[in-house]
Amino acid sequence: MPIPALQLFTATSEDVNFGAFPGLPAQETKETAPADMEKEVDDLTEMMMRCLENADVENFVGLCAKCKENIIGHENGCKALGALYHVNCFVCQKCREPLVKKPFYHTDGLTYCEQDYLDTLEKCDVCNDHIKERILRAVEKRYHPECFKCSACASCLDGVPFTLDSDNNVLCVQCYN
């Protein structure tokens, strides 16, 4: 099964939005049960009210989407994934390092630094590099499509019929004959 293409992001403290209701995360459109929708509306209303209550607080930036506490001072917050976070709340799920001004990946609701994300990926059995896009599985091994080659002529076997010789070497049909 191919790995879904992911977008690489970078959060920066300069991206803080001083909008009408800072801290409100961008909402995705999805079908939701009425009880879930009601809770979401209640949560958004509470967050909006807290933003309004703190609007006169000096250097108030917004509410952190993770801890729901005030972000005071531009240098203490960042905007990522459509929401505001404290710099120390927007961290890698694995190593807990802050992700501000660093590349990160967001997949399955989790956020990872680049290295920890790469460590979740399978590696090619030929070149030992992480497989970031399409994965080819054959003869109980994992390959980049361009790494799956005939052991005799080195032609790429992605989408091409192949066979194994008596030593389990992968061969294209022409080299086997």
Side-chain angles (χ1 to χ4, degrees), residues 40-151:
E40 185 176 351
V41 168
D42 289 346
D43 290 347
L44 288 171
T45 302
E46 180 185 344
M47 190 174 267
M48 182 179 70
M49 293 304 292
R50 287 192 57 203
C51 284
L52 288 171
E53 290 167 5
N54 291 296
D56 59 347
V57 173
E58 188 174 341
N59 296 321
F60 176 73
V61 175
L63 297 174
C64 177
K66 184 172 182 182
C67 72
K68 309 294 187 230
E69 295 298 320
N70 292 352
I71 301 171
I72 306 296
H74 173 73
E75 66 282 355
N76 295 315
C78 67
K79 182 177 181 182
L81 305 172
L84 295 177
Y85 297 88
H86 285 108
V87 170
N88 292 327
C89 287
F90 190 66
V91 297
C92 173
Q93 299 297 311
K94 187 172 180 187
C95 70
R96 312 305 295 164
E97 285 294 315
L99 295 172
V100 174
K101 296 185 181 181
K102 296 179 183 175
F104 67 89
Y105 289 85
H106 186 74
T107 181
D108 297 328
L110 301 174
T111 308
Y112 297 96
C113 67
E114 189 168 26
Q115 186 57 54
D116 286 337
Y117 172 73
L118 290 175
D119 289 345
T120 68
L121 301 178
E122 295 183 52
K123 290 187 176 183
C124 176
D125 284 305
V126 173
C127 69
N128 205 35
D129 284 340
H130 293 102
I131 302 174
K132 298 177 188 174
E133 293 181 20
R134 214 175 98 211
I135 188 169
L136 189 149
R137 293 182 193 279
V139 293
E140 298 181 12
K141 293 184 180 179
R142 303 157 305 211
Y143 302 91
H144 292 104
E146 62 274 12
C147 291
F148 186 57
K149 298 179 181 180
C150 173
S151 28

